[in-house]
């Protein structure tokens, strides 16, 4: 495959091209899990893969519990569909606890403390109660835990990984920003949990099918780094997937490495729920995408991330924007947004977009479309800061 073919296949598989998903939870089901430590921008990662979901639609899916936000796979925040969380948690929990072992010891979270704190937290959120981190801290402190700082964060994370807590309905701060709450794991996944969590072998097969089906072409190492599994586990998952779904994932060798992906004919046959074009279709018109720096188009890869033409996520100096502008899947600049007159009838979004090179008229039009789509997502006018100001 040529580099542009790698990018085009990834854009299509991740539904950054038509056919897109009907709703945010459908996009999430395709991707399996989406890194979500920056909640406002993670909403956008899901919405831009749909036919027109707005920020409020994603927020409602989170509030309803169709989409859950929790620590899974690697010890960082992810969006996960509630139907997938039980088996993903069972698959990744042992490795997550091992990865956190040093911090558990540093903060005094031994087996006894973890068990007792889990009981306190479970009681605090029982019966449909959704609590903020500060409210959980008060419950723990009332039970004698010095629940502050790192110790508090890891007591809560331990409870998430152990299937005690999961995200509740977000609440808004006085200024309008959303705050995470926590609820009882079993209550939030009620009705979505299968009769029995699949075996580890079945889960490995499911993870590799979903990962390479949405992010391919990708390598075994890409999948291992994304999932937190070992490369041995990923290879085992591929072998099991080959037995349970023959031909669903194929291999291709190029650039001196072995890549795995969904075959093109499977992409077109599946259609991913869209209606406007076959998967991977390209009409020849340039397209600009404004993606967040933790988007799965970036974070879904490690050793083969370079195909998009740069390094990200980047942590800029001063007021430089950190999110990513793509031109036909290739890094073309950076961006950030700010909200002006927030909460008023005249509120608008101002985008600071800095490009690596000047654009011609056709590409300026493509950028204007990307800005307008972001404004539609936020439900307010979006404008660019003029270049050079």
């Amino acid at each position: 495959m040529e580099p542009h073919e790698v990018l085009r296949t990834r854009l299509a598989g991740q539904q950054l091209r038509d056919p897109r998903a009907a709703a945010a939870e459908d996009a999430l089901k395709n991707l399996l899990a989406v890194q979500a430590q920056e909640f406002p921008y993670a909403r956008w990662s899901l919405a831009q893969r749909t036919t027109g979901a707005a920020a409020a639609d994603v927020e409602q899916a989170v509030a309803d519990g169709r989409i859950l936000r929790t620590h899974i796979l690697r010890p960082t925040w992810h969006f996960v569909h509630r139907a997938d969380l039980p088996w993903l948690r069972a698959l990744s929990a042992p490795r997550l606890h091992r990865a956190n072992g040093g911090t558990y010891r540093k903060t005094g979270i031994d087996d006894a403390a973890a068990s007792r704190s889990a009981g306190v937290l479970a009681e605090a959120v029982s019966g449909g109660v959704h609590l903020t981190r500060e409210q959980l801290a008060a419950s723990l402190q009332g039970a004698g835990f010095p629940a502050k700082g790192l110790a508090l964060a890891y007591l809560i994370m331990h409870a998430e990984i152990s299937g005690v807590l999961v995200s509740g309905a977000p609440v808004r701060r006085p200024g309008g920003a959303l705050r995470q709450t926590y609820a009882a794991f079993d209550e939030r996944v009620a009705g979505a949990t299968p009769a029995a969590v699949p075996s580890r072998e079945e889960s490995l097969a499911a993870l590799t099918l979903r990962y390479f089906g949405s992010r391919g072409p990708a390598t075994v190492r890409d999948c291992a780094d994304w999932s937190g599994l070992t490369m041995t586990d990923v290879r085992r998952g591929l072998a099991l997937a080959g037995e349970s779904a023959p031909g669903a994932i194929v291999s291709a060798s190029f650039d001196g490495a072995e890549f795995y992906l969904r075959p093109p004919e499977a992409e077109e046959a599946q259609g991913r729920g869209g209606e406007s074009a076959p998967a991977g279709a390209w009409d020849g018109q340039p397209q600009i995408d404004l993606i967040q720096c933790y988007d799965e188009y970036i974070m879904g890869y490690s050793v083969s991330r370079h195909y998009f033409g740069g390094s990200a996520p980047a942590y800029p100096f001063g007021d430089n924007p950190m999110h990513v502008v793509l031109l036909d899947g290739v890094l073309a600049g950076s961006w950030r947004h700010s909200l002006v007159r927030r909460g008023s009838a005249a509120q608008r979004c101002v985008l600071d977009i800095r490009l690596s090179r000047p654009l011609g008229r056709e590409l300026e039009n493509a950028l204007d479309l990307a800005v307008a789509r972001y404004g539609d997502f936020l439900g307010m006018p979006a404008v660019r800061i003029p270049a050079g100001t």
Side-chain angles (χ1 to χ4, degrees):
M1 300 182 76
E2 296 295 328
H4 73 275
E5 294 176 303
V6 173
L7 298 181
R8 192 176 301 170
T9 304
R10 288 179 176 180
L11 289 167
Q14 291 205 27
Q15 295 185 289
L16 285 167
R17 296 293 181 268
D18 291 335
R20 300 178 196 256
E25 55 262 43
D26 298 319
L28 182 56
K29 286 287 285 183
N30 174 49
L31 291 168
L32 183 57
V34 168
Q35 194 162 327
Q37 69 264 50
E38 296 290 340
F39 184 85
Y41 290 107
R43 299 173 307 170
W44 170 234
S45 283
L46 290 179
Q48 70 186 137
R49 290 167 163 85
T50 73
T51 54
D57 299 319
V58 182
E59 292 166 15
Q60 190 60 53
V62 175
D64 293 343
R66 289 170 281 146
I67 293 173
L68 297 168
R69 181 174 180 258
T70 192
H71 288 88
I72 199 73
L73 298 176
R74 308 181 306 280
T76 192
W77 291 106
H78 281 84
F79 280 148
V80 183
H81 194 283
R82 68 175 184 173
D84 292 315
L85 184 54
W87 67 267
L88 272 180
R89 190 203 66 79
L91 180 63
S92 62
R95 287 185 63 82
L96 286 174
H97 281 315
R98 285 196 294 273
N100 288 345
T103 307
Y104 290 160
R105 291 188 290 273
K106 178 180 178 181
T107 53
I109 304 175
D110 57 16
D111 289 344
S115 178
R116 192 166 72 86
S117 66
V120 172
L121 293 169
E123 182 178 358
V125 297
S126 64
V129 175
H130 296 194
L131 298 178
T132 64
R133 175 176 165 141
E134 291 77 14
Q135 291 169 321
L136 292 181
S139 294
L140 288 167
Q141 290 163 6
F145 288 91
K148 297 180 180 178
L150 197 63
L152 172 62
Y154 275 79
L155 283 171
I156 293 174
M157 191 190 303
H158 194 291
E160 291 178 88
I161 297 169
S162 301
V164 175
L165 296 178
V166 75
S167 62
V171 295
R172 290 201 177 274
R173 299 178 187 271
L178 287 170
R179 297 182 66 192
Q180 168 94 15
T181 67
Y182 297 85
F185 183 99
D186 289 342
E187 293 176 8
R188 289 290 267 177
V189 300
T193 308
V197 172
S199 68
R200 190 170 192 276
E201 288 72 20
E202 291 170 325
S203 295
L204 287 174
L207 184 145
T208 53
L209 278 170
R210 301 270 286 281
Y211 173 85
F212 289 107
S214 61
R215 293 169 178 80
T219 68
V220 166
R221 179 61 180 272
D222 287 326
C223 183
D225 290 344
W226 175 84
S227 65
L229 296 172
T230 65
M231 293 175 67
T232 299
D233 281 337
V234 175
R235 291 191 183 99
R236 178 62 177 154
L238 281 166
L240 292 165
E243 296 172 3
S244 62
I249 300 297
V250 298
S251 64
S253 297
F254 54 92
D255 284 352
E258 192 80 2
F259 288 76
Y260 297 87
L261 67 157
R262 185 189 303 272
E265 59 270 21
E267 290 279 342
E268 295 184 13
Q270 186 188 42
R272 297 182 187 274
E275 300 177 354
S276 56
W282 183 59
D283 62 7
Q285 299 300 310
Q287 181 167 327
I288 288 180
D289 297 281
L290 305 177
I291 67 171
Q292 63 136 337
C293 66
Y294 297 113
D295 190 271
E296 290 300 312
Y297 186 76
I298 296 168
M299 301 305 297
Y301 312 93
S302 55
V303 294
S304 70
R305 186 180 297 175
H306 64 278
Y307 277 97
F308 92 107
S311 59
Y315 302 97
F317 296 99
D319 65 350
N320 291 323
M322 65 185 295
H323 299 297
V324 175
V325 180
L326 297 176
L327 170 57
D328 291 334
V330 177
L331 178 66
S334 57
W335 68 279
R336 65 175 178 174
H337 88 224
S338 58
L339 301 181
V340 178
R341 297 181 180 177
R342 188 170 187 161
S344 73
Q347 68 179 344
R348 69 183 188 277
C349 175
V350 176
L351 292 172
D352 179 1
I353 299 175
R354 306 187 191 183
L355 301 168
S356 56
R357 62 179 175 84
L359 302 179
R361 175 62 62 86
E362 185 178 26
L363 294 179
E364 284 286 350
N365 291 339
L367 181 55
D368 289 341
L369 287 173
V371 170
R373 190 174 185 209
Y374 192 66
D376 291 341
F377 158 74
L378 292 175
M380 66 181 72
V383 295
R384 291 171 56 191
I385 297 175
T389 61

